[in-house]
Amino acid sequence: MKTMNVIRLGGVGALCALLTACPSPPPPAPMGLTFTFPDTPAVDTLRLSGVAFGANGQYLQTIGYGGYLGSPPSNVANRANVYLDGYSLQNLQKSACLSPFKGGETDGMRDVVVTPDTVQTCNVYFVLYNDLNRNGRPESTEELYQTHSIYSYASEAFTYSFTSADGRTTESGARRKGWSLVAHEVRQPSATPGRYVVTMNSVPEADERLSVRLHEPTNRLISQGALLGGNLSGAK
């Protein structure tokens, strides 16, 4: 009889598990990022947004935005915030944005080493643009300033390194599991003219509140960037 009671209780527990919906994982904490950029007329079409792309490099969606930064043409904007809400970040993780880092971000590179090589990533890129057609989506002809620093999701903590296809640049980085701000820095050692060293590391969480500098579009593998004046500067 005792054995039968245990079996019955086990059956009831299994039935309850089937009838009770599994709770969804909590969304990531929302993130507010601050950006600075050269003085720009604050027209009513000026906008700062984060943009996500699918595994094939095609536009996926705009996530988070600083909104329209002004209307009177006489005003000048040079600073704005972008708010990334947790539910939007969570939805990105479930979309075509999440893809293998090895063979994705490292496509076309040489001497690729990724540890662990099963990691998947999803990146949010930031752009200041003049939304002339008012569709809330940056077009190539509307882009004003960008940064090679990104807000990135990693399925697990990982490290990597590679050499560019032309052999001129080596890049390495370490990213935390989950979402983090990844700072882009470039050095050009004097001992190796024409050679560049790029790092892309998750910044300490305490530093995610520092401002990120936007600049004119540049080649991320050879453009110089640095940490200056308490700002996280993308490549220039």
Side-chain angles (χ1 to χ4, degrees):
M1 180 66 69
K2 184 175 181 181
T3 301
M4 290 299 296
N5 287 339
V6 170
I7 292 174
R8 286 174 184 149
L9 287 172
V12 171
L15 180 61
C16 289
L18 289 173
L19 295 177
T20 304
C22 296
S24 300
M31 174 56 63
L33 298 173
T34 300
F35 296 84
T36 61
F37 45 89
D39 287 351
T40 304
V43 294
D44 63 358
T45 51
L46 190 64
R47 193 165 189 170
L48 174 61
S49 298
V51 184
F53 297 92
N56 59 1
Q58 297 299 308
Y59 169 85
L60 187 61
Q61 69 181 87
T62 298
I63 173 175
Y65 51 87
Y68 292 96
L69 307 182
S71 53
S74 58
N75 288 348
V76 171
N78 54 28
R79 187 181 185 90
N81 298 322
V82 169
Y83 177 81
L84 303 173
D85 74 271
Y87 288 100
S88 293
L89 292 174
Q90 187 178 64
N91 290 337
L92 267 185
Q93 293 169 221
K94 302 174 182 178
S95 72
C97 177
L98 190 64
S99 61
F101 180 84
K102 188 173 184 179
E105 292 187 51
T106 64
D107 183 42
M109 303 303 172
R110 298 164 24 190
D111 307 320
V112 176
V113 178
V114 183
T115 307
D117 62 7
T118 55
V119 66
Q120 294 186 301
T121 58
C122 169
N123 299 328
V124 177
Y125 304 86
F126 299 97
V127 58
L128 182 75
Y129 60 105
N130 199 350
D131 192 16
L132 297 175
N133 58 13
R134 297 179 183 271
N135 66 354
R137 167 181 170 177
E139 313 287 349
S140 59
T141 56
E142 298 174 337
E143 184 176 353
L144 299 175
Y145 300 110
Q146 62 172 216
T147 175
H148 299 307
S149 294
I150 57 177
Y151 200 61
S152 180
Y153 174 80
S155 59
E156 50 195 323
F158 73 102
T159 59
Y160 75 95
S161 63
F162 62 72
T163 301
S164 62
D166 61 10
R168 297 175 61 194
T169 302
T170 59
E171 179 172 319
S172 62
R175 300 190 198 177
R176 294 194 304 272
K177 180 179 179 179
W179 288 97
S180 66
L181 179 63
V182 179
H184 174 268
E185 297 180 54
V186 180
R187 291 185 295 110
Q188 185 178 14
S190 57
T192 54
R195 304 283 177 169
Y196 302 86
V197 178
V198 177
T199 57
M200 290 281 287
N201 294 320
S202 293
V203 305
E205 291 185 60
D207 289 344
E208 290 187 338
R209 300 297 179 181
L210 299 178
S211 59
V212 179
R213 182 70 176 174
L214 299 174
H215 53 80
E216 293 182 355
T218 57
N219 183 334
R220 64 176 292 274
L221 289 176
I222 63 172
S223 5
Q224 182 63 44
L227 287 172
L228 297 172
N231 292 341
L232 286 169
S233 299
K236 296 180 181 179

